Amino acid sequence: MQSVDRAITVLEILAQHGEAGVTEIAVELGVHKSTAFRLVGALERRGLVEQPGLRGKYQLGFGIIRLAGTMAAGLDLTQQSRQVCEDLAADLGETVNIAIPSGDMVVNIDQVRGSSAVVSQNWIGRQNPLHSTSSGKVLLAFMSRPEQRRILRGELEGLTPRTITDPDALREEFEKILQNGYATAVEELEVGLNAVAAPIRGLTGEVIAAVSASGPSYRMEENLLDVIGESVLKAAEEISARMGHMASA
């Protein structure tokens, strides 16, 4: 906890001063220079601080903008996507969720239940591994290659017998997702639960979130997922347009 507190203090120091060297940071933290150097190095590896020149000075990195942008997009996203999600849930009769990336996880930030969703399970705020959900696989597929490789090098937990944990198999999935425009998950998060998700793009075209439809496998049968995927993809494109994205002709 002490290291986390110090790392946050480093960010606050840089936010206050604009830039600072390791020696200055160490003095403000009241720690040895080597400790400050390790903290700054860890933050730099995650893009939260950067060293723009050779003067030994650090400043806040673009990773901060990415995190802040995700938060801002999440707040606006729930407003812009709500009606589309309600229409999709009514059309499919299944539960529709909006999810955004959260570190190495995916978190649901909004949910609409369809008429067939008899179990009132609340997914809002729930975090799941990226590789185990349709939304997470969409986000992974459109992620930068370095970030994608980093996540695939980590532990890929098998939550069910059908969770894909082999990096090469996941890469094959990503190719299909990029080709089809949507991802499917067949009992990969929970036994008896299937889902389809499509990417939501922001103003500049980057994938900022995913919209998904999920339901019991006896209703959302595997052979129906491609048909459902077209509806989910259409909803994702409408939400993207509401978020300012203009699809290329």
Side-chain angles (χ1 to χ4, degrees), residues 5 9 27 33 70 78-79 88 94 106 112 145 153 166 169 172 174 195 228 242:
D5 184 67
T9 303
V27 170
K33 185 176 178 180
T70 299
T78 57
Q79 297 174 358
L88 182 61
E94 304 294 354
V106 58
V112 177
R145 290 300 175 89
R153 282 198 298 265
D166 177 66
E172 290 182 12
F174 299 157
I228 295 172
R242 288 172 178 249

Side-chain angles (χ1 to χ4, degrees), residues 72-89:
L75 293 173
D76 189 50
L77 182 58
T78 57
Q79 297 174 358
Q80 296 300 325
S81 64
R82 189 68 184 185
Q83 186 58 58
V84 180
C85 290
E86 288 177 355
D87 291 344
L88 182 61

Side-chain angles (χ1 to χ4, degrees), residues 87-94 96 114-116 213 219-220 228 231-232:
D87 291 344
L88 182 61
D91 181 47
L92 298 177
E94 304 294 354
V96 172
S115 58
S116 299
R219 221 172 32 232
M220 282 185 63
I228 295 172
S231 296
V232 175

